[in-house]
Amino acid sequence: MLPLLSHTLLVCIILIFKKIHANELTFELPDNAKECFHDKLKIGSKFVLEYQVVTGGNYDVDLELKSPSGKILYKETKKQYDQFEKTVEEDGVYQFCFSNEFSTFTHKIIYIDWKVDGDPEHEIPQPGPRVAEGALTMIELKVGKIHENLEKSIDYQTHHRLREATGRARAEDLQERVQIWSLGQFILIIIVAIGTVLLLRSFFTDRRTSSNMTWNR
Amino acid sequence: MENHLYLILIISLFQLITISYSLYFHIDETERKCFIEEIPDETLVIGKYRVELLDENTNTYGATPYGIGMNVEIKDPDDKIVLSKLYTSEGRFTFTSHMPGEHLICLYSNSSAWFGRQKLRIHLDIDVGEHAIDYQEIGAREKLTELQLRIRQLLDQVQQIAKEQNYQRYREERFRATSESTNQRVLWWSFAQVTVLVIAGFWQMRHLKGFFLAKKLV
């Protein structure tokens, strides 16, 4: 009987926890394309949207975030990285759209991090800092702090990884381009050298008699 | 036994609720949507999705008719297919990466184009590494206290950080190799081009001299 009670209590405590629901996605946005994401939110919750252009062109993208009533909460053009947070004031479906319509042939890879905090429907029962139960012991406080710092550390690592991916994509692109262009120039030099000689020969072969006379004067 | 069943019932009920609301997007019926996950090796990835079909009459999204499912295709960094399965309108897929790098997770519906280009709404949630671990289930299964569970979570987080840093070292190595290769290529191609120019110059002079001598112009 006692184990059941403690287990149920444990489960109930865990279920009460408010945990940030994080959704990270990396996708490719083709040229002249627009990609929209939606989420249903409740009043009182807070959301954070973070995005970064990983590879592609000038590393810029347009973003527009609209509330359920159509009000534009965030609109930026040609940004490489930004973070936007807001407390929800309206119930309903929020949508944010990324647009690459200004670009004619570069497609971009975009990373997004969508965090929703404090919405009972978005709750995932996981251990987290307790807010509603008596006095926190020292250990629990410290453990909570360590958890927060580790989350931050993981977040920094993600950003480091994305920046490094940007650099690496550029380097690999450069390597390929150097190869192709150098080969092209090499072949071009040979063609031009032979071509010049042939052209010159053709000049003198046609008007041989006339130039013979001019030379002998 | 009965107690555990009760517990499992509560847990599964809550799982059901959490799958209801998450980020969603729209695609065409025949469209293929892919997501990139750059992960270190031996990392667990769990994806959950739910598909709804746009009802043209009422302009709302509702449950999909029987027969519409989603193909989930996962490719590893070498473009080899790791997972390719057909799921129903609501599914959950997991895979563990065996090599570090960019994995591609693609979703496309299995409908043929005869049904017309209807729009689908996909709710998607991809959890990677320590986000994929279900602590509730571990706590219930191994009968851990709350503090033990939290410390367990800390251990998993630290392990993920260590794995990611190891992957970082691997990526840095590749980056350095690429840069050094470019450096080498620039050097050798420049050398080759200068040589070819000089040879071409000499050859041209010699050939033309011979040509003019033969033509008795010089």
Side-chain angles (χ1 to χ4, degrees), chain A residues 129 143-153, chain B residues 154 157:
Chain A
V143 163
K145 263 218 161 82
I146 294 176
H147 176 71
E148 265 173 49
N149 284 329
L150 287 179
E151 292 263 294
K152 262 196 249 174
S153 187
Chain B
L154 289 180
Q157 276 187 309

mmCIF file of all heavy atoms in Angstrom, chain A residues 129 143-153, chain B residues 154 157:
data_model
loop_
_atom_site.group_PDB
_atom_site.id
_atom_site.type_symbol
_atom_site.label_atom_id
_atom_site.label_comp_id
_atom_site.label_asym_id
_atom_site.label_seq_id
_atom_site.Cartn_x
_atom_site.Cartn_y
_atom_site.Cartn_z
ATOM 1 N N PRO A 129 12.679 22.404 -11.539
ATOM 2 C CA PRO A 129 12.650 23.131 -10.259
ATOM 3 C C PRO A 129 11.232 23.139 -9.693
ATOM 4 O O PRO A 129 10.284 23.500 -10.361
ATOM 5 C CB PRO A 129 13.085 24.553 -10.646
ATOM 6 C CG PRO A 129 13.702 24.428 -11.975
ATOM 7 C CD PRO A 129 13.063 23.269 -12.645
ATOM 8 N N VAL A 143 20.897 21.375 -6.952
ATOM 9 C CA VAL A 143 20.636 20.513 -8.114
ATOM 10 C C VAL A 143 19.863 21.292 -9.178
ATOM 11 O O VAL A 143 20.148 21.197 -10.373
ATOM 12 C CB VAL A 143 19.879 19.237 -7.677
ATOM 13 C CG1 VAL A 143 19.249 18.547 -8.868
ATOM 14 C CG2 VAL A 143 20.809 18.275 -6.991
ATOM 15 N N GLY A 144 18.906 22.071 -8.730
ATOM 16 C CA GLY A 144 18.150 22.897 -9.667
ATOM 17 C C GLY A 144 19.029 23.873 -10.411
ATOM 18 O O GLY A 144 18.914 24.057 -11.625
ATOM 19 N N LYS A 145 19.960 24.492 -9.668
ATOM 20 C CA LYS A 145 20.877 25.453 -10.286
ATOM 21 C C LYS A 145 21.773 24.773 -11.302
ATOM 22 O O LYS A 145 22.012 25.305 -12.389
ATOM 23 C CB LYS A 145 21.755 26.077 -9.198
ATOM 24 C CG LYS A 145 21.285 27.402 -8.685
ATOM 25 C CD LYS A 145 22.484 28.326 -8.411
ATOM 26 C CE LYS A 145 22.063 29.765 -8.346
ATOM 27 N NZ LYS A 145 21.515 30.140 -7.031
ATOM 28 N N ILE A 146 22.287 23.598 -10.910
ATOM 29 C CA ILE A 146 23.168 22.868 -11.834
ATOM 30 C C ILE A 146 22.401 22.547 -13.112
ATOM 31 O O ILE A 146 22.917 22.690 -14.224
ATOM 32 C CB ILE A 146 23.694 21.561 -11.188
ATOM 33 C CG1 ILE A 146 24.615 21.883 -10.009
ATOM 34 C CG2 ILE A 146 24.463 20.737 -12.202
ATOM 35 C CD1 ILE A 146 25.094 20.653 -9.267
ATOM 36 N N HIS A 147 21.155 22.133 -12.957
ATOM 37 C CA HIS A 147 20.339 21.799 -14.121
ATOM 38 C C HIS A 147 20.193 22.994 -15.050
ATOM 39 O O HIS A 147 20.356 22.882 -16.264
ATOM 40 C CB HIS A 147 18.968 21.318 -13.642
ATOM 41 C CG HIS A 147 18.030 21.042 -14.755
ATOM 42 N ND1 HIS A 147 18.167 19.975 -15.603
ATOM 43 C CD2 HIS A 147 16.942 21.705 -15.184
ATOM 44 C CE1 HIS A 147 17.195 19.983 -16.484
ATOM 45 N NE2 HIS A 147 16.434 21.028 -16.267
ATOM 46 N N GLU A 148 19.911 24.149 -14.455
ATOM 47 C CA GLU A 148 19.779 25.362 -15.279
ATOM 48 C C GLU A 148 21.052 25.679 -16.018
ATOM 49 O O GLU A 148 21.041 26.010 -17.199
ATOM 50 C CB GLU A 148 19.458 26.556 -14.365
ATOM 51 C CG GLU A 148 17.988 26.856 -14.248
ATOM 52 C CD GLU A 148 17.751 27.933 -13.208
ATOM 53 O OE1 GLU A 148 18.427 28.972 -13.261
ATOM 54 O OE2 GLU A 148 16.899 27.695 -12.332
ATOM 55 N N ASN A 149 22.182 25.587 -15.309
ATOM 56 C CA ASN A 149 23.458 25.917 -15.951
ATOM 57 C C ASN A 149 23.818 24.931 -17.043
ATOM 58 O O ASN A 149 24.362 25.302 -18.080
ATOM 59 C CB ASN A 149 24.578 25.965 -14.901
ATOM 60 C CG ASN A 149 24.510 27.241 -14.091
ATOM 61 O OD1 ASN A 149 24.079 28.269 -14.588
ATOM 62 N ND2 ASN A 149 24.930 27.185 -12.845
ATOM 63 N N LEU A 150 23.486 23.676 -16.824
ATOM 64 C CA LEU A 150 23.756 22.685 -17.855
ATOM 65 C C LEU A 150 22.899 22.954 -19.086
ATOM 66 O O LEU A 150 23.347 22.796 -20.219
ATOM 67 C CB LEU A 150 23.503 21.275 -17.327
ATOM 68 C CG LEU A 150 24.539 20.734 -16.354
ATOM 69 C CD1 LEU A 150 24.164 19.346 -15.890
ATOM 70 C CD2 LEU A 150 25.913 20.700 -16.975
ATOM 71 N N GLU A 151 21.664 23.372 -18.875
ATOM 72 C CA GLU A 151 20.807 23.716 -20.008
ATOM 73 C C GLU A 151 21.432 24.849 -20.817
ATOM 74 O O GLU A 151 21.442 24.832 -22.044
ATOM 75 C CB GLU A 151 19.428 24.173 -19.516
ATOM 76 C CG GLU A 151 18.592 23.103 -18.883
ATOM 77 C CD GLU A 151 17.601 22.492 -19.847
ATOM 78 O OE1 GLU A 151 16.689 23.214 -20.278
ATOM 79 O OE2 GLU A 151 17.749 21.311 -20.173
ATOM 80 N N LYS A 152 21.962 25.826 -20.078
ATOM 81 C CA LYS A 152 22.603 26.958 -20.760
ATOM 82 C C LYS A 152 23.813 26.486 -21.538
ATOM 83 O O LYS A 152 24.062 26.907 -22.672
ATOM 84 C CB LYS A 152 23.058 27.995 -19.721
ATOM 85 C CG LYS A 152 22.086 29.148 -19.564
ATOM 86 C CD LYS A 152 22.721 30.294 -18.847
ATOM 87 C CE LYS A 152 22.097 30.438 -17.474
ATOM 88 N NZ LYS A 152 22.740 31.441 -16.648
ATOM 89 N N SER A 153 24.579 25.582 -20.915
ATOM 90 C CA SER A 153 25.779 25.056 -21.549
ATOM 91 C C SER A 153 25.429 24.325 -22.841
ATOM 92 O O SER A 153 26.069 24.516 -23.874
ATOM 93 C CB SER A 153 26.477 24.119 -20.563
ATOM 94 O OG SER A 153 27.709 23.723 -21.054
ATOM 95 N N LEU B 154 20.705 15.120 -14.395
ATOM 96 C CA LEU B 154 21.969 15.862 -14.485
ATOM 97 C C LEU B 154 23.045 14.993 -15.118
ATOM 98 O O LEU B 154 23.811 15.448 -15.973
ATOM 99 C CB LEU B 154 22.439 16.309 -13.105
ATOM 100 C CG LEU B 154 21.644 17.420 -12.423
ATOM 101 C CD1 LEU B 154 22.275 17.723 -11.080
ATOM 102 C CD2 LEU B 154 21.614 18.669 -13.264
ATOM 103 N N GLN B 157 22.520 14.816 -18.806
ATOM 104 C CA GLN B 157 22.868 16.081 -19.456
ATOM 105 C C GLN B 157 24.369 16.217 -19.617
ATOM 106 O O GLN B 157 24.859 16.614 -20.676
ATOM 107 C CB GLN B 157 22.353 17.258 -18.629
ATOM 108 C CG GLN B 157 20.924 17.602 -18.906
ATOM 109 C CD GLN B 157 20.517 18.861 -18.198
ATOM 110 O OE1 GLN B 157 20.728 19.007 -17.005
ATOM 111 N NE2 GLN B 157 19.948 19.772 -18.941
#
